[in-house]
Amino acid sequence: MSIERQFLKSFFVGTGKRSVSFSLMLVLVGFFLCTVCTNCCLAQKKELALTIEVDISSSVNRSGGPIPLTLRLNYFGSKAGLAGKLRFRMVSQNGALVATYLFEDLFIPPGEQTYEFLIQPPSSAVWMDAYDFYPIFETQEGEIFAYPEQLLRLPGASRRSMVITIATLNNERLDETQKEFGSELALEKRMPSFDTVRPNQKSIVTLSRSLSVQDFPNSALEHCVSDIVILTKGTFEKLSIRQGEALLAWTRAGGSVAIFLEEKVRLPAEKTDLLNEFLSAPKDDPLVYQLSDGTWQFANASTEALLLRRCSFGRVAVGVRQDSQLLSELYSPSDRQELYSHLWKLRNDQTESMMRSNDGNWSFDLARRSVVRDNINFNNINDPGLDQFLRRFRPTPTIYGNGLLAETLPVGMQMLPLWLIGVTLLLYIIAIGPLDYFLLGALGLRKLTWIFFPVVTVLFTVGAIVSANRTMQGKDEGGRVIIHDITPDGLIARENEIETVVPRSGGIRYVDAKQELLTPINPFRLGISPDYNTQYRPRPSESVEEAPPLFRGRFPSEAQLVEQVHKWSPRMTRKLRISTTPTPEPSRFDWTLPINPEDRDSYLELTRRVQAAFGENAHAMFLQTRPSQNSNELHNLPEKIVLLGHGDIFQDPYYDESRLDLPGMNSPLRQRQDFLQDSTYSEQSGIYSVVSQLSPKCDDFLEDLPILDTSEKRTWVFLIAVRNENVWNIYRQFITGTEN
């Protein structure tokens, strides 16, 4: 018998029970390994039928703004196509999960397809600027395929990123004239001592993004990826009416748009009307005319080549330009400075400083005053240690969230008083100490101490839980604040809704958004936690949320936030709505009638109008600022004229006015402690020492809420606040007064 036959015989037959069992085990293990390897090969083959690639060049985004994400999916499987779900896990470089994005009901036909999504960014507090994107595709049959990670770079909290979107005709690259727009209008271009040698260390970076006019969105919210939108080289003429209306709605809500047209170009009547709407020109007195040959012309064509106008809360520039002309060839240095200042909504004092300076740059003087005010370590604007903070333009949260949280807590919710907690602890100590010893001793039952002690502990624990639940459980789980920004013609330019929820039990929370942008907010970052000023605090060791959010669906059409919540731990969410269709404010108040804050004789009639439209419990006020006489303090101090109700609705409940007189108190204790004012105008150090307003973006720091330039003496905000149960409706209208 050959050696091979002897081996096979000994392997399969064996000489005893142990040999048979061992042989069967080897056969089963071999069969299992073969099956696993076969399935792995099949799975690998199916996974290769779909490739997923993130277009890194498409993810140009501004600090705190939504991220435009372009995916290239190539399916080369069956002709029937592929249906399923696509999930992305965003993981920071230190391995922490930041967020998860889920896109359901996807159908991928054979061949290469391009999908565009709008996703919400990580929290503005996260310092990392590089993330790994892990794609996971799940078929309708439940098969799951994981793909290798792909790198995605985003601006972290250590610097400020701005975005200029430049329209192109056919997905073409930007030419030299279009690139000049990006370089000439870059916010950091006019920063004092701008460092061109080390560009990677800039505290502000302005990114240029090209977008084909065919791909311009039909939703105003999708323009929130940009700070400024520029249309030139025939792109305005190619916009559809729906695209133009969406861009107009975003501009009214606070965006900035520059439109450059050739002098003899033909414009249809509806485009001429749209141009006049951008310029906020009355129909009976247009700024742009259509001539008999179909071409357009400024009303004062002989004297004007560039119009700079407000469009409700936004800014618009319309100019005459040949396609081959550079900005530097077409406009003088002063004209380019005015264009720059207008589109970036620079503070009035910064614009004046820029016009006066020899180099055409804005100034750090206001930033110096802001640092002295906000940082307790400095008392003089000439302190040399200030310089390290002047160029910090990090995303900065509102610092008066205490007032916002206090007004949106559940109705009837109360904290357990300290005296009750103290009395309860004292009674517990007496029960397990003297009472246990003397009572059981008198009864001769001290051996029952080991039963008495746990029974008393359980009773006190149950009593504490029941008392806490009854005291802290209000009529609801929280309230909302809805801020309506109203245009001069009575339309709703935008709505910001901030909701607070204090869960009665832990679990999963679902928040739906339809035709809205939605972002979760950590309330402890809105000034509720002490010393949370991003301009002065050191870099934290860990900035990622403990329970990262899940975003399901597509923004802005229909999406959902899924997040984990804990009992009695407050959570906030913010929604931003910008309607493409003009929507009148529904109350009976006539916003189109003139309002003059400087005419005190009209206050009584205005008060009656407010009460008739909003009821007797409404609050109404004018907000402005006035110059400070102390050169070492902030330029402007708040001024509030209360017409109805009271003006400190959202004041910090823990604000201690008695500490204002303490020496060296340069920190926020010297400032107003009111969320309403801080969300209407901001003079924090950083970006608001340069600009007066940011284009809408729906960030979790509420940076884009302010609408008033505190250095402009002629501007006011008329504000009405009405509470209905646990919902606050805040109405704001921007007003321009007369020359002083």
Side-chain angles (χ1 to χ4, degrees), residues 538-583:
R539 176 170 176 162
S541 58
E542 186 175 353
S543 299
V544 179
E545 297 284 354
E546 293 182 1
L550 165 66
F551 296 98
R552 173 189 292 159
R554 301 191 185 189
F555 289 104
S557 57
E558 190 169 1
Q560 185 182 65
L561 166 67
V562 183
E563 63 175 352
Q564 184 178 358
V565 295
H566 303 284
K567 185 175 182 178
W568 306 134
S569 179
R571 296 295 299 172
M572 286 183 176
T573 53
R574 177 191 176 183
K575 294 179 180 179
L576 172 63
R577 294 185 287 270
I578 303 176
S579 176
T580 301
T581 304
T583 306

Side-chain angles (χ1 to χ4, degrees), residues 8 63 101 132 152 222 243 245 350 358 405 446 467 469 486 523 572 615 707-708 712 732:
L8 291 173
S63 297
Y101 306 93
D132 289 326
L152 183 67
E222 295 184 54
Q243 290 172 325
E245 290 174 346
Q350 288 287 18
N358 295 327
L405 181 63
R446 282 185 181 155
S467 299
N469 286 336
I486 313 299
M572 286 183 176
I707 57 176
L708 181 66
E712 176 57 66
R732 307 188 301 182

Side-chain angles (χ1 to χ4, degrees), residues 609-626:
R609 288 172 50 201
V610 172
Q611 289 178 324
F614 298 102
E616 298 291 332
N617 295 324
H619 307 265
M621 66 197 77
F622 291 110
L623 297 178
Q624 200 200 28
T625 58
R626 54 184 172 83

Side-chain angles (χ1 to χ4, degrees), residues 144-170:
I144 299 177
F145 302 101
Y147 289 80
E149 72 277 8
Q150 301 187 42
L151 184 65
L152 183 67
R153 291 198 173 274
L154 302 172
S158 60
R159 68 174 183 174
R160 171 78 56 173
S161 174
M162 320 296 282
V163 172
I164 298 176
T165 296
I166 303 175
T168 61
L169 286 176
N170 297 303

